Amino acid sequence: MKFRPCIDLHSGQVKQIVGSTLSDDKQNALTATQSSVAAENFSTDKPASDYAVMYKDDGLTGGHVIMLGPGNQDAAKSALEAYPQGLQIGGGITSSNASEWLSYGASHVIVTSFVFHNGQIDFDRLNGLVKQIGKDRLVLDLSCRRKVGDTTGPYYVVTDRWQTYTDVEVNEQTLKMLGGYCAEFLVHGVENEGKRCGILEDLVQLLGKYSPVPVTYAGGVKGLDDLDRVKTLGNGNVDLTIGSALDCFGGDIKYEDVVAWHKREN
């Protein structure tokens, strides 16, 4: 199990937000004209490239840069240039720009809304993307949430800044089927993202049991012991991203302690 670092960008700045409050006026984050964050945990003028260099120096691989809305391309490029092949890129990735972002130094592109289109998996788009860049460079974002008011039902993939439900359940069948099209999954537990209220344990268990490819979970981490909790619940098969809870993003968990844990495990 690995710790996977992150760089979340909004309006060109490194930020940490409450995932379920993010909205956007268009499906494509790279061409949207407006975006808003209702609940912001952290914002800094420290450049994204500084975080990328820190991750590189600490030997952390497989982290992700997520562009939340417009105005983030320059910051994202600077991070990729600072750590070539060390970071994945997501946010508005389509077949028209995927190769371009790989050329900027991303190890993988992360895709959601382009593939999960009109509430369904668009296999024409998915197959086209795989043909274009290869499954080994593609990460499918299966960020998900339960339907409003349903505390025990299935998790559904959500798109468009996590506000639009698809009809795609995150379950054994979906994971095994989609695993044939990509190198990895990235899964944000949207309801807990940015809230430091604890991880979605049943979701981590589901991913650890059924994902046929490497998978990274993010959402709700509140303490260092959540690393061990994810390791146990996910049978060592689920990597973990920590954002708002880290001291480098204004939280209480020491980044250096997480890096030390990661190095002991790996």
Side-chain angles (χ1 to χ4, degrees):
M1 178 189 161
K2 298 195 299 183
F3 162 64
R4 305 271 201 128
C6 66
I7 301 173
D8 291 351
L9 299 171
H10 181 258
S11 300
Q13 285 184 297
V14 176
K15 295 185 180 181
Q16 287 290 316
I17 56 99
V18 178
S20 58
T21 67
L22 183 66
S23 62
D24 204 302
D25 70 331
K26 290 186 180 179
Q27 291 185 14
N28 187 341
L30 291 185
T31 59
T33 56
Q34 297 177 351
S35 67
S36 61
V37 174
E40 192 175 288
N41 284 328
F42 174 81
S43 179
T44 180
D45 291 327
K46 182 177 179 178
S49 55
D50 284 10
Y51 285 92
V53 169
M54 180 172 72
Y55 301 154
K56 180 181 179 182
D57 289 346
D58 288 325
L60 300 173
T61 58
H64 55 266
V65 180
I66 302 293
M67 299 178 287
L68 300 167
N72 296 307
Q73 289 175 296
D74 289 344
K77 289 177 188 176
S78 74
L80 298 178
E81 288 168 3
Y83 191 4
Q85 303 306 311
L87 295 165
Q88 305 167 358
I89 184 76
I93 303 297
T94 71
S95 59
S96 63
N97 61 21
S99 296
E100 182 180 0
W101 281 107
L102 292 174
S103 74
Y104 293 144
S107 64
H108 301 71
V109 291
I110 304 167
V111 176
T112 316
S113 298
F114 180 71
V115 165
F116 297 95
H117 183 58
N118 291 332
Q120 305 290 333
I121 302 168
D122 189 322
F123 283 100
D124 287 340
R125 289 185 172 191
L126 181 55
N127 281 308
L129 201 53
V130 171
K131 185 176 181 180
Q132 179 184 341
I133 65 171
K135 62 171 284 189
D136 293 340
R137 306 296 296 275
L138 178 62
V139 175
L140 289 178
D141 185 337
L142 304 184
S143 294
C144 57
R145 61 199 304 186
R146 288 187 165 113
K147 293 291 178 71
V148 176
D150 186 353
T151 58
T152 58
Y155 291 96
Y156 291 90
V157 174
V158 286
T159 63
D160 309 333
R161 316 279 63 79
W162 300 334
Q163 299 303 307
T164 302
Y165 282 92
T166 69
D167 297 327
V168 182
E169 288 186 30
V170 178
N171 55 27
E172 178 182 4
Q173 180 183 3
T174 300
L175 291 168
K176 290 184 175 178
M177 183 266 293
L178 289 175
Y181 292 89
C182 65
E184 298 182 9
F185 295 130
L186 172 64
V187 182
H188 290 84
V190 173
E191 292 309 323
N192 289 17
E193 172 72 11
K195 295 180 180 178
R196 297 185 232 174
C197 58
I199 61 171
L200 293 169
E201 296 190 356
D202 58 341
L203 181 55
V204 172
Q205 285 179 307
L206 176 71
L207 298 173
K209 187 173 182 180
Y210 295 123
S211 179
V213 295
V215 56
T216 300
Y217 170 84
V221 171
K222 61 181 179 178
L224 194 66
D225 57 350
D226 279 325
L227 284 156
D228 291 312
R229 188 169 288 110
V230 168
K231 179 184 175 184
T232 300
L233 292 169
N235 294 316
N237 299 323
V238 180
D239 293 340
L240 182 64
T241 290
I242 308 173
S244 300
L246 287 178
D247 59 357
C248 60
F249 295 126
D252 302 320
I253 304 174
K254 290 185 178 180
Y255 167 80
E256 61 186 30
D257 289 347
V258 175
V259 173
W261 186 96
H262 168 86
K263 289 181 177 179
R264 284 196 303 272
E265 291 293 316
N266 295 276

